[in-house]
Amino acid sequence: MAFPPLSRLLYDAPTYQHLGADIQEDKQEYSASEQQRRLGLFHELFRREALQLVELLREQGSALVFITAPVNLELSPLRACENADSSAVQSLQAKMHELMKGGHAKEALATLEPLSQTVPGHARTHHLMGQAYLELGDGARARQEFEKAQAFDCGQGRPSVVDNAILRSIAARHSLLVLDFADDLARQLGQNEVFLSDTVPQSFPYQKLTDKIRHVVARQFHLLGRSEGKKP
């Protein structure tokens, strides 16, 4: 197992700790701007650590394959950022939600689309737009809006579309292989029920991913054997 050098500056050496009753959840409430800064910092640290991991493994002559984390795009945002929210926006969103429940997705979009322009970055608005596009059978547009909703979510604790995008960008820049598990799942949006729970996919997508990993590992060992003049 390899760790990027930056991690040595950020984290203490791992030690075993007994989790007693004195361990308490951090229940501090952060403002929208504070939470946005925190999430931005998390993503930037993730990007830098991934880059350092690439450099480290290349120095060691090792192969690296990225696997994107599964993201359930249809989940409602955990928290709308308050600096993009207001009682007027919430009231309008509630009306559009009721309109969509009545089967009027197209009419709801006529209001939601300009709302997303006048009040940008509101996770709930983009989520409603994703639901409307999905109802209208436009899976590609639905995916775009669901991904925006996830990216603008001021909550945390779920796999991130932003971190997945970072991995794809790094892989493209450094000619690395990506097993895009998140994309495989997103392509089935509106077609199949692929998640057992909010964050855990069913077994059949994992089986497909396992087959891809097996193929990549077999191919990598074959290429290594050939480059060293050995039989695979």
Side-chain angles (χ1 to χ4, degrees):
M1 181 178 294
F3 293 92
L6 183 60
S7 65
R8 300 167 192 166
L9 302 177
L10 298 173
Y11 311 118
D12 294 329
T15 56
Y16 290 101
Q17 298 287 340
H18 174 68
L19 299 180
D22 55 332
I23 303 297
Q24 296 182 0
E25 179 184 356
D26 179 11
K27 297 183 179 181
Q28 179 177 344
E29 290 291 334
Y30 296 96
S31 69
S33 58
E34 289 174 333
Q35 183 68 350
Q36 287 164 337
R37 287 196 296 270
R38 293 176 75 241
L39 293 174
L41 177 61
F42 294 158
H43 296 317
E44 179 60 17
L45 289 175
F46 180 83
R47 186 187 70 83
R48 294 192 182 195
E49 288 187 348
L51 282 171
Q52 289 190 344
L53 182 61
V54 171
E55 295 172 1
L56 176 63
L57 294 184
R58 280 192 166 172
E59 289 174 0
Q60 296 178 348
S62 301
L64 177 62
V65 178
F66 285 141
I67 302 176
T68 55
V71 177
N72 189 347
L73 294 177
E74 295 188 66
L75 289 180
S76 297
L78 291 171
R79 173 186 171 189
C81 299
E82 289 82 0
N83 51 10
D85 203 15
S86 68
S87 58
V89 170
Q90 292 176 10
S91 176
L92 188 56
Q93 289 171 341
K95 291 178 181 178
M96 294 307 101
H97 179 64
E98 290 301 316
L99 194 61
M100 289 166 55
K101 286 172 63 176
H104 303 288
K106 188 173 182 179
E107 291 83 347
L109 274 174
T111 298
L112 290 169
E113 286 181 335
L115 178 62
S116 70
Q117 300 298 318
T118 56
V119 187
H122 198 298
R124 176 65 172 161
T125 299
H126 287 292
H127 183 76
L128 288 171
M129 291 175 65
Q131 290 179 318
Y133 279 121
L134 197 60
E135 183 67 25
L136 294 172
D138 192 340
R141 291 293 300 275
R143 175 178 176 177
Q144 292 176 6
E145 296 304 326
F146 281 140
E147 288 181 342
K148 289 178 183 178
Q150 297 274 344
F152 290 130
D153 191 352
C154 254
Q156 62 183 56
R158 292 174 177 170
S160 170
V161 296
V162 177
D163 289 341
N164 283 343
I166 289 171
L167 289 183
R168 295 185 189 107
S169 175
I170 292 174
R173 190 161 64 250
H174 294 272
S175 301
L176 297 172
L177 178 63
V178 178
L179 296 182
D180 205 336
F181 191 35
D183 182 67
D184 291 342
L185 297 174
R187 289 177 182 273
Q188 300 184 60
L189 186 66
Q191 302 176 27
N192 299 303
E193 188 68 35
V194 296
F195 280 84
L196 286 172
S197 65
D198 284 354
T199 57
V200 180
Q202 297 195 47
S203 60
F204 68 87
Y206 275 118
Q207 184 57 55
K208 291 183 179 180
L209 176 63
T210 301
D211 292 340
K212 289 182 179 181
I213 294 173
R214 186 182 298 112
H215 175 74
V216 168
V217 171
R219 184 178 63 182
Q220 184 63 32
F221 275 106
H222 177 70
L223 292 174
L224 287 174
R226 289 179 59 185
S227 66
E228 295 172 359
K230 300 176 182 178
K231 293 182 179 181

